[in-house]
Amino acid sequence: MTHPRIPSTPHAVIIGNGMVGHRLVDQLRAQADAAHLQITVISEESRLAYDRVHLSSHFDDPRPDLALATEDGYAEQGVTVVYGRAERVDLTSRTLTVAGRTLDYDALVFATGSFPFVPPVPGRDAAGVFVYRTLDDLDAIRAAATHSKTGVVIGGGLLGLEAAGALQKLGLTTHVVEFAPHLMPAQLDPEGGATLRRTIEGMGITVHLGKSTTDLTADATGRLSGLNFADGGRLETDLLVFSAGIRPRDDLARTTGLHVGERGGITIDDTGRTSDPHVYAVGECALHDGRIYGLVAPGYQMARVTATNVLRDLGVTSGEALHFRGADLSTKLKLLGVEVGSFGDAKGVTPDCRTVSLSDNVRGTYSKLVLSADGTTVLGGLLVGDTARYSDLLDLTLSGTTLTVPPETLIVPTLPGGAVMTSADALICSCENVRSSAICAAIGDGARDVAALKKCTSAGTGCGGCVPTMHGLLQSELRRLGETVTNHLCEHYAYSRQELFDVIRVKGYTTWDEVLSSHGTGLGCEICKPAVGSILASLHNELIMKPAHAPLQDTNDAFLANIQKNGTYSVMPRVPGGEITADGLISIGAVAKKFGLYCKITGGQRIDLLGAHVGDLPAIWEDLIAAGFESGHAYGKSLRTVKSCVGSTWCRYGVQDSTSLAVRLELRYRGLRSPHKLKSGVSGCTRECAEARSKDFGIIATEKGWNVYVGGNGGVTPKHAVLLASDLDEDAVLTLLDRYLMFYVRTADRLQRTSAWLENLDGGLEYLRAVIMDDHLGICADLDAEMARHVGTYEDEWAAAVNDPAVRARFRTFVNSDARDDGIQWVDERGQIRPAFKHELTPLPLAGGDD
């Protein structure tokens, strides 16, 4: 079907700029430049497209950049952005009205997405009630959490559990209320839901199942105070998030006269067209064959199909039309650090199907396969707690391959006899439907890193869960092609970081020149210099600003502070365990006022002072040192913080003194240089207010002592720490952590977090236990001695810097002048300074006159 009216440069208008709308722009531009197609995007949100799949990482510290699009990027592609809500569409004249403007279109695409469903319960308009959908929603929740104690999420599905994790991150006592008898009822069966519940409750989140909420109550000020259940129960709370499903945003399509489904959704055919031949719909607002797809992967498939058909219908391209025939709803995700996978007929609704399952309450995993009646074909399955085999099992499901091994061997922890279940052309990226053959072909054509593979194949550009598999396939394929695959640090050192660490340790080298002349080549680079500098600091604990070490340091280490976007620095004094006196608070405030600094409480229970001029750093440090503070090492690959709750000293739930142990740990490990940053937390009970299991090493109190967890982290790819040892006394905790940290420092790769290190460690957790608890390698005494040397030689870097005139002289903006940089511009916001944005900058006078 073609349009009867085609101007010289057709105009496509896209209503909505979510992930699918943005993908549609990319697909259109990949086939037609601005000279052949005008594109206008209508964005109702003030932010352009961002990654909703990783929405909860907005609560991480630091916050990742979730943006998928920018105004400058769209402008470079010739894409026009109009902010506002589309108000009216005239199908006859092919125009739409938005923000008081009328736009003509030749092809119109609805990418309006969905909105959160809020059940019509009385009291839902109370202050403190939110939905969990946009970054603005999350910012509102963050603001409300500052004066809340308890948070409740209504809805135990995918997004509800994400929201629960966010509330717990914000420090709230968290509850999940689900109407169904088990969690994630749309994806899991009762046993899988029960496994997930045990794991989540082990994190300190309380789960209420089979609960119907009748009404919400508010206090005299109109603020939420609790919710009542149909069974007569009640739950007190002052913050509530509805996550009870989504509904397609089809209101504009309805008023326009387009066909919509009985239960919502803009009806489309296989080509993406609606009931009007010039109008299309993609993503969560589209109803295809009676189904709404609420996942990003089907939306991306719709975008690809629709983009091709729009261009074909407009006469921009030629060729066969593409068709959307539905999409596989298999998903693999990580909720609160718990891996969950669902693929094919996961619930076993196929007539005469058979199932085989394995529930491991020790490992906290559940695996289930749904098989054909004869047991020879995988129809679907569920994985909870361990999704390592997800891609292989999904591939078996989609391909219908006849099994050559007993089906139960596909889900047991170790395959007997080394049986391999991967197919010859395994599915690597389910979001983009990229198989191993495509990856291997790209490698054969010259792709030599993951970034190049993403660009060539689009694999890894969706949820990102397949990136580790891509990296492994890249390595194995390069070996197959006969290319040398090494783990060398860089071109100047034919050693891995672990090998280089051992060389420096055994030889006793203390300077870069010694290491380079004996084992390196050339002059070094931005990779090997900081790595060697870190190794030397780990082994000898010398001041990194010494002339022999200073040239090796990264930008932040070079000035003992974190550089910010406008060239100023942040200063973060150490506050061990988050415990600080009133006088300490006043002193930090006085320093901030004296030097005009922005103040921010961090997620690690510290106070960050931002906006410091480089020339002011020594004076700021002097004032802080005089008040009893020292460097917090927020700038280094070293121990950052040991977060704590108040423990048994104050809390009625506490069973051990978590604050005292946190202070003891932080003062012991401060300044320890390591392959990557280190964070810790100590919780005084299993309610886990210090979030110890999201740390590189965490300690949680028990009635008998302390449980030690290792290998966790937050950030873009969060990972829950795993239990290393139970019910230890404090001295035993310190001994175990001494060895754990020094073994990590010895053996990890450059910039490798403890979570990735532990995952890649041959033998994993059991091997780690054998090394540092059973002394399997006979090195425990060495590890103990190395930590004792670190503790005994610790020196505050700020104090050493301000007391050394040569070091202090480095801290100046201009090499030939002591003048300050007066070109930095600030804006007042909420009573504090912040850097001026580009559009707020005022021109600076030029030196030397009007020219």
Side-chain angles (χ1 to χ4, degrees), residues 225-237:
S225 61
L227 57 161
N228 295 318
F229 299 126
D231 61 8
R234 177 173 171 78
L235 184 58
E236 302 287 340
T237 185

Side-chain angles (χ1 to χ4, degrees), residues 278-293:
H278 311 292
V279 181
Y280 307 76
V282 294
E284 293 175 336
C285 68
L287 178 71
H288 177 265
D289 198 21
R291 181 188 292 271
I292 297 287
Y293 291 91

Side-chain angles (χ1 to χ4, degrees), residues 52-121:
R52 295 184 192 272
V53 173
H54 299 101
L55 191 65
S56 293
S57 64
H58 189 60
F59 291 116
D60 289 345
D61 183 18
R63 298 184 196 178
D65 184 4
L66 298 178
L68 299 175
T70 64
E71 288 187 5
D72 289 343
Y74 273 166
E76 290 176 3
Q77 298 180 66
V79 176
T80 302
V81 178
V82 177
Y83 291 99
R85 180 165 186 166
E87 301 157 2
R88 182 176 178 273
V89 174
D90 188 322
L91 299 177
T92 302
S93 63
R94 292 188 221 160
T95 60
L96 77 156
T97 304
V98 55
R101 299 173 55 182
T102 298
L103 303 177
D104 295 317
Y105 68 82
D106 297 289
L108 179 66
V109 184
F110 280 82
T112 47
S114 60
F115 65 91
F117 171 66
V118 177
V121 295

Side-chain angles (χ1 to χ4, degrees), residues 487-506:
N487 59 350
H488 292 172
L489 187 64
C490 69
E491 62 187 275
H492 303 105
Y493 286 97
Y495 303 92
S496 67
R497 182 200 172 272
Q498 178 181 350
E499 292 169 338
L500 194 58
F501 186 98
D502 288 336
V503 167
I504 296 172
R505 178 177 59 86
V506 172

Side-chain angles (χ1 to χ4, degrees), residues 573-574 576 584 587 621-631 670 796:
R574 186 170 302 287
S587 297
W621 298 337
E622 280 184 322
D623 285 2
L624 290 171
I625 292 168
F629 293 100
E630 63 179 11
S631 168
R670 59 186 172 180
D796 176 28

Side-chain angles (χ1 to χ4, degrees), residues 433-512:
N433 195 29
V434 180
R435 293 186 172 272
S436 58
S437 59
I439 299 291
C440 293
I443 296 170
D445 290 339
R448 288 299 179 267
D449 55 33
V450 171
L453 290 175
K454 287 183 176 182
K455 186 175 182 179
C456 294
T457 68
S458 296
T461 59
C463 71
C466 61
V467 170
T469 304
M470 291 169 59
H471 183 267
L473 182 57
L474 172 66
Q475 298 286 76
S476 62
E477 184 65 7
L478 289 177
R479 291 189 184 95
R480 189 189 69 79
L481 293 173
E483 297 190 22
T484 301
V485 179
T486 71
N487 59 350
H488 292 172
L489 187 64
C490 69
E491 62 187 275
H492 303 105
Y493 286 97
Y495 303 92
S496 67
R497 182 200 172 272
Q498 178 181 350
E499 292 169 338
L500 194 58
F501 186 98
D502 288 336
V503 167
I504 296 172
R505 178 177 59 86
V506 172
K507 295 290 187 179
Y509 298 135
T510 60
T511 67
W512 161 263

